[in-house]
Amino acid sequence: MAGSPPQPLSLPEEFVLLSHLETGRVHETKQTSYACAAAELGELALRRALLVRPRKTRKLGIEFYGGPGEMELLDPEPTGLGWADALLAELVQATATAPKPVTARRWLRRRGSAALSLHRAALTERGLLHHRPGALFRKERYYPERGARDALINVVRAAYDGRGPLDAHLLFLCQLVESAQLKRDFGLTRWRHQHIDSSRVPAPRLPEDLRDTFNALRTHVPSREE
């Protein structure tokens, strides 16, 4: 409808927009794909549709997360978000047919490239990425709409610096920025948010199962060196 405000971006869309450099590239396609798929699961977790159950240990008061991260579907009912509902249906099918529990580690490997392609296409359709097809001696590129990307970077910076509100959605986006090694690109060093709990995680204080889900997902995003 003409004059309507733009629909807010979902977590994977925000992450994909942040990941594309002004050159139209991403730093590392595999890492970006895994993180995009993790952002999809994070969006579903925020909607209380699923959780990831990691293996937790505590040493010297610090929690460590390991294991493949078994996924638990809580509510497969439609969310009203097209890609999320399709993904939930796929997860229901995978859970019903898999001989073993579906894990975050396997899912991100399986889903990554499809997730990145899906959300790139959605951002292109909305004019937030500008696609330049590849040619014989020219690689395909997706150029971010600078104003939208800069505005989102400023939101992330404000969250780090404690100058803006920080909710669960933004917290996980910031965690993905760290896992995908984008902090240096945005001039970020460390959290300066004034509300930090004993686990060094900024406010808001999340339900333990949601915090575990976020931490499990980000541990499965590979580094560029990997």
Side-chain angles (χ1 to χ4, degrees), residues 149-217:
R149 183 174 184 267
D150 286 350
L152 189 53
I153 290 172
N154 287 336
V155 170
V156 171
R157 285 175 177 157
Y160 261 82
D161 294 342
R163 294 181 287 106
L166 182 65
D167 59 10
H169 175 112
L170 183 53
L171 174 60
F172 188 47
L173 180 63
C174 291
Q175 290 176 326
L176 288 174
V177 164
E178 288 192 3
S179 297
Q181 299 167 273
L182 294 170
K183 287 174 59 178
R184 183 179 298 178
D185 293 13
F186 305 153
L188 305 173
T189 53
R190 60 183 178 84
W191 285 103
R192 295 187 177 89
H193 200 282
Q194 59 181 336
H195 301 298
I196 305 286
D197 67 20
S198 59
S199 65
R200 309 305 299 163
V201 174
R205 294 183 182 274
L206 305 178
E208 185 176 5
D209 56 6
L210 187 58
R211 180 166 60 89
D212 289 348
T213 295
F214 287 172
N215 283 319
L217 289 173

Side-chain angles (χ1 to χ4, degrees), residues 35-112:
C36 181
E40 288 186 327
L41 296 181
E43 182 76 44
L44 294 181
L46 286 169
R47 295 167 181 264
R48 306 305 285 179
L50 64 74
L51 292 172
V52 178
R53 302 290 187 182
R55 184 185 309 128
K56 289 196 299 183
T57 57
R58 180 179 287 272
K59 296 180 181 178
L60 301 177
I62 300 174
E63 286 184 338
F64 295 88
Y65 293 80
E70 292 186 6
M71 291 200 288
E72 177 185 346
L73 286 175
L74 301 179
D75 184 3
E77 291 300 311
T79 66
L81 189 60
W83 67 260
D85 293 343
L87 181 58
L88 273 173
E90 189 175 345
L91 283 166
V92 168
Q93 178 67 20
T95 302
T97 58
K100 296 186 294 184
V102 178
T103 66
R105 178 187 294 166
R106 272 192 296 131
W107 183 261
L108 299 189
R109 185 185 306 123
R110 165 182 167 177
R111 172 72 180 174

